[in-house]
Amino acid sequence: MTSRDRLLGLTVVVLWGLNFLAIRAGLDHFPPFFFAALRFFVIAIPVILFVPRPQVPLKWLLVYGLGFGVGQFAFLFWAMHVGMPTGLASLVLQSSAPFTVALGAAALRERLRPAQVGGLLVAMAGMTVIGCDRAQHAALLPVALTLLAGLSWALGNIGNRKAASDQPMRLMLWMCVIPPLPMLVLSLGVEGPSAGWDSLTSSLHGTGPLALAGLAYIVILGTVAGSGLWTALLSRYPAGMVAPFSLLVPIVGIGASWLVLHEEPSVLSLIGGAVVIAGAAATQVSARVRPGTLSHSPAPARVGV
């Protein structure tokens, strides 16, 4: 990988790591399910009007959208709403990598190498450490919800993989068309018919402007810019060479949360997180490359939050 492209990869890491601060700003004002609907609605309207739909089977587009868009963000935003620390959320969400490998083996019959099996076991051990630590010091529900977000992301990755689009950026944009309506229904049923509207009408006061700035960051920098750069890198290099950059996202997320929100994760949570990242990295190790060939790892083509 060239120095320029490494710099682009690190730029994506920073954009996605800071994305968790933007999410926190939005959740401090908007109800979680309504905020998730708003996040995708802002992207979906111009996509429908100006971006041609990718030529992929509708069922796999739906699996991608329901897993990555609806499931991941419903659980993630719910988790952060009920107390999941911002930095720790960015770390636990990395469980999506080993979950993707496990689902790929179960649903797509992808063969697991010994290093991937070991990585899955290591990542599970790290998740257990984090869960035990949170159970001692706080509610376990936010961790469980964040793990469900990682599992949903993995399900979306399977839909992405089965869609097999030769236009991944267009596929990602059209994925954003799927979540708004299910999220609005969820918001109406759980948060009530007036909660979202009231938060929207009051968005010019109090915490509203900061929440709108967070929404703009998520849409423009986190999704369009970050995912655009990520897609460009994946088009030039094997996924196994690009995907490990995403494992650096929690470092930015935890560091930014510590500096801005004064969150101080426990030593045991950090140890568990380091174990999760080590396991996730092991699941994305490429097979040995023969001379003169290019190995494309089965690692997921990840798209940032």
Side-chain angles (χ1 to χ4, degrees), residues 64-87:
Y64 183 20
L66 293 173
F68 180 88
V70 178
Q72 179 189 187
F73 287 96
F75 287 123
L76 176 64
F77 285 13
W78 185 9
M80 294 177 68
H81 179 69
V82 297
M84 186 66 174
T86 305

Side-chain angles (χ1 to χ4, degrees), residues 28-292:
D28 284 343
H29 181 79
F30 293 107
F33 300 136
F34 181 79
F35 185 52
L38 196 61
R39 173 226 198 274
F40 285 106
F41 183 79
V42 171
I43 302 175
I45 295 301
V47 167
I48 293 173
L49 293 176
F50 301 112
V51 180
R53 182 179 175 277
Q55 298 303 307
V56 299
L58 179 60
K59 65 178 181 179
W60 296 121
L61 178 60
L62 289 173
V63 171
Y64 183 20
L66 293 173
F68 180 88
V70 178
Q72 179 189 187
F73 287 96
F75 287 123
L76 176 64
F77 285 13
W78 185 9
M80 294 177 68
H81 179 69
V82 297
M84 186 66 174
T86 305
L88 190 59
S90 70
L91 192 154
V92 176
L93 200 60
Q94 293 301 315
S95 62
S96 64
F99 278 144
T100 299
V101 174
L103 284 180
L108 306 181
R109 297 183 179 180
E110 295 178 345
R111 185 177 180 181
L112 295 181
R113 296 186 297 277
Q116 291 179 307
V117 175
L120 286 172
L121 295 176
V122 169
M124 290 173 60
M127 296 174 205
T128 302
V129 170
I130 294 173
C132 291
D133 178 64
R134 295 297 294 175
Q136 293 176 4
H137 299 96
L140 189 58
L141 177 62
V143 175
L145 291 173
T146 309
L147 287 173
L148 287 174
L151 180 60
S152 299
W153 184 346
L155 179 62
N157 282 336
I158 298 300
N160 186 338
R161 191 175 298 172
K162 290 292 289 184
S165 174
D166 58 356
Q167 298 172 315
M169 188 63 182
R170 186 182 295 181
L171 176 65
M172 186 279 296
L173 290 173
W174 267 88
M175 178 278 300
C176 297
V177 175
I178 308 298
L181 288 181
M183 284 295 193
L184 281 176
V185 171
L186 192 58
S187 176
L188 289 173
V190 177
E191 298 163 346
S194 62
W197 177 251
D198 289 345
S199 65
L200 196 59
T201 56
S202 64
S203 58
L204 297 181
H205 307 283
T207 57
L210 188 59
L212 292 177
L215 177 63
Y217 182 97
I218 293 169
V219 171
I220 298 172
L221 296 179
T223 302
V224 178
S227 298
L229 291 173
W230 189 255
T231 301
L233 290 174
L234 285 169
S235 70
R236 294 199 288 269
Y237 301 99
M241 187 178 293
V242 179
F245 277 99
S246 68
L247 300 176
L248 300 176
V249 171
I251 297 175
V252 177
I254 291 174
S257 299
W258 175 62
L259 290 173
V260 177
L261 304 177
H262 307 293
E263 291 182 357
E264 295 185 10
S266 69
V267 174
L268 194 57
S269 287
L270 291 177
I271 292 173
V275 173
V276 171
I277 291 176
T283 65
Q284 298 184 35
V285 173
S286 299
R288 187 178 299 275
V289 181
R290 294 180 180 178

